[in-house]
Amino acid sequence: MRKIARALLSLSDKTGLAEFARALADRGVEIVSTGGTAKLLKEAGIEVTDVAAVTGLPEMMDGRVKTLHPKIHGGLLAKRGDVAHERALKDHAIPPIDLLVVNLYPFEATVARGCDFDACIENIDIGGPALIRAGAKNHASVTVVIEPEDYGRVLDEMDAHDGATTLDLRKTLAAKAFARTGAYDAAIASWFSGALGDGTPQTVVIAGRIAQVLRYGENPHQAAAFYRTGDRRFGVATAMQLQGKELSYNNINDTDAAYELAAEFDPEVSAAVAIVKHANPCGVAVGSSLAEAYAKAFMCDPVSAFGSIVALNRALDEQAAREIVKIFTEVIIAPDASAKAKTIVAVKKNLRLLLAGGLPDPRASGLAFRSVAGGFLLQSRDTGSASDLDLKIVTKRRPSEAELADLVFAFMVAKHVKSNTIVYAKNGATVGIGAGQMSRIDAAQIAAWKAKDAAEHARLDAPLTQGAVAASDAFFPFADGIEAIAEAGATAVIQPGGSLRDDEVIAAADAADLAMVFTGIRHFRH
């Protein structure tokens, strides 16, 4: 047990500060404080000793220097009961500090607001992290609080233990404190690398704050949790869940995949719907309304759509909501939803409705990570968009305007399907998707088979691939893939090009009277 007799309070976020400080004062705790914190407490009628009165020096250099002084850090770092440390405190008239309450300059928020370089630099806290690390190191004697949510825990322990805190609490708070300073430094390092345009910095630190402890991971025997980073990208991390069970690990993963895909399509141009299962789309479409787009996307694979994730690029409206709730759906994610739509979805108690507040920018830079044994891989986000590319027509037949629009659409979808993939599309909708195959011809054949199955389900006379176009996420190594696409009834192909056998592939397309365009970029997704 360590009794709290003296506290240092220095906060940027002053939420609940006056109430907490008054509670400390009522328990006989002497309060030392800095600048704006001291001013607020004095205005609240709480007795405070200014740090300047302790150090003998005023705050200086625009507040950059105020607590960096032996009379502060000595009071935090001195080991209680250690003869030499106690003697040093006495010889240098350094009163010990038993409770440290500090949070940091809002660096991450400053960056998120898009402030300029100098403003971001000025919001890098120096004294705060130094105080936190000192107090947390000496947690055997010092209680360190970095968040208002822990004020009550400290007061409860003081009340239970005659003004003292337990070592267990101090250890817990110290661990939280070190995690905070580590995350803070990681945010600064990441921002600095971005400011320098360094895509592969010498050292990378990933930091996140827990948002949800999950029931389990991909499988019930795996522990899991969801963490938010400082990346302000609309999606699951920014979403407000209006209803339904808590999201699972697989729900979050699939919802992220679905929303990133839906966001590829400009909501000002057309409504878009992506239906995703196990991180792969089973139907994607654009239309004049969400309801139309959903119906077209659903037709691609109505069997797999059962228990899927549905992502929208516009606010969920009443008409679309009525269609989506007709079958069992795990999650709907959209930028927003109308009041009528919310009421319709509310009938399905287990259906999660997430409102993300906006769409992620498919062209925005960012980093993607993947763990491997003993390390992790880092790459920049795939920001390539077919609508930005200078497409090269390589066959004798040129694609029609309608074919070209579907080719661009299909290639945008292929970017979000696991490799190897072939995507068939017609009239702004996928009609067959072959995902995650070891060979490209298998992907082409599976996509055609899925399209045939969907046509039979809809009781259509002709396969959905008849008159469709096809997209390949990477080049065709052999002509057999093109032959399979032609056999399925497709009329045009989009692919990156770049194979050693491009001439053979182009010749096969010409022989089948297919139009083919090269993009010059591929979209591997593993």
Side-chain angles (χ1 to χ4, degrees), residues 158-499:
M158 291 177 69
D159 290 341
H161 304 294
D162 192 26
T165 59
T166 62
L167 180 58
D168 283 345
L169 177 62
R170 294 196 300 277
K171 282 183 176 179
T172 298
L173 295 177
K176 180 183 281 192
F178 279 122
R180 175 62 184 129
T181 57
Y184 195 72
D185 284 342
I188 295 167
S190 176
W191 167 78
F192 229 121
S193 294
L196 294 173
D198 186 357
T200 54
Q202 191 70 26
T203 301
V204 173
V205 182
I206 305 171
R209 183 173 177 82
I210 197 162
Q212 180 184 348
V213 177
L214 304 172
R215 286 172 292 163
Y216 51 81
E218 285 187 287
N219 301 291
H221 61 276
Q222 294 173 270
F226 176 42
Y227 291 82
R228 291 190 179 95
T229 68
D231 185 10
R232 180 66 180 176
R233 186 171 178 83
F234 291 112
V236 183
T238 65
M240 176 175 59
Q241 182 173 345
L242 295 192
Q243 66 170 71
K245 300 180 295 184
E246 72 174 29
L247 294 165
S248 70
Y249 180 99
N250 292 329
N251 290 152
I252 292 171
N253 190 53
D254 291 353
T255 302
D256 178 70
Y259 204 50
E260 289 286 336
L261 173 47
E264 289 282 352
F265 303 99
D266 186 346
E268 297 297 322
V269 176
S270 59
V273 173
I275 305 173
V276 166
K277 194 80 166 284
H278 298 299
N280 274 312
C282 50
V284 185
V286 293
S288 59
S289 69
L290 288 173
E292 179 193 356
Y294 176 77
K296 291 164 66 176
F298 180 80
M299 180 176 285
C300 180
D301 191 350
V303 175
S304 298
F306 185 85
S308 63
I309 311 294
V310 177
L312 317 172
N313 73 338
R314 291 180 179 175
L316 177 65
D317 56 36
E318 178 183 357
Q319 189 180 8
R322 290 192 187 281
E323 294 302 314
I324 295 170
V325 300
K326 286 180 179 179
I327 67 163
F328 170 60
T329 302
E330 290 276 7
V331 178
I332 301 172
I333 182 168
D336 203 348
S338 70
K340 278 278 191 182
K342 293 175 187 177
T343 301
I344 292 166
V345 173
V347 175
K348 302 290 185 178
K349 300 299 183 184
N350 290 330
L351 172 56
R352 295 92 157 179
L353 176 58
L354 303 182
L355 305 184
L359 288 172
D361 182 355
R363 295 173 176 81
S365 61
L367 298 177
F369 301 86
R370 173 162 297 178
S371 64
V372 298
F376 60 84
L377 294 168
L378 178 150
Q379 65 175 344
S380 60
R381 184 181 289 125
D382 184 356
T383 58
S385 176
S387 59
D388 297 335
L389 301 176
D390 184 14
L391 303 179
K392 180 182 179 183
I393 300 169
V394 295
T395 48
K396 294 175 182 177
R397 188 172 80 79
R398 298 178 62 85
S400 67
E401 287 299 317
E403 286 175 326
L404 191 59
D406 278 339
L407 288 170
V408 170
F409 168 83
F411 198 65
M412 291 169 76
V413 174
K415 170 183 172 181
H416 293 267
V417 187
K418 298 296 177 69
S419 297
N420 290 312
T421 183
I422 296 293
V423 174
Y424 291 104
K426 182 165 56 178
N427 298 327
T430 58
V431 295
I433 300 173
Q437 299 306 305
M438 288 67 75
S439 74
R440 200 153 296 280
I441 188 168
D442 284 349
Q445 291 171 338
I446 288 172
W449 169 74
K450 295 285 286 183
K452 180 181 178 183
D453 190 56
E456 291 175 355
H457 190 276
R459 298 181 180 180
L460 300 177
D461 294 332
L464 295 178
T465 50
Q466 195 70 44
V469 304
S472 175
D473 63 321
F475 64 65
F476 290 89
F478 301 101
D480 55 0
I482 293 295
E483 292 164 355
I485 286 170
E487 185 178 343
T491 61
V493 181
I494 187 170
Q495 59 131 324
S499 168

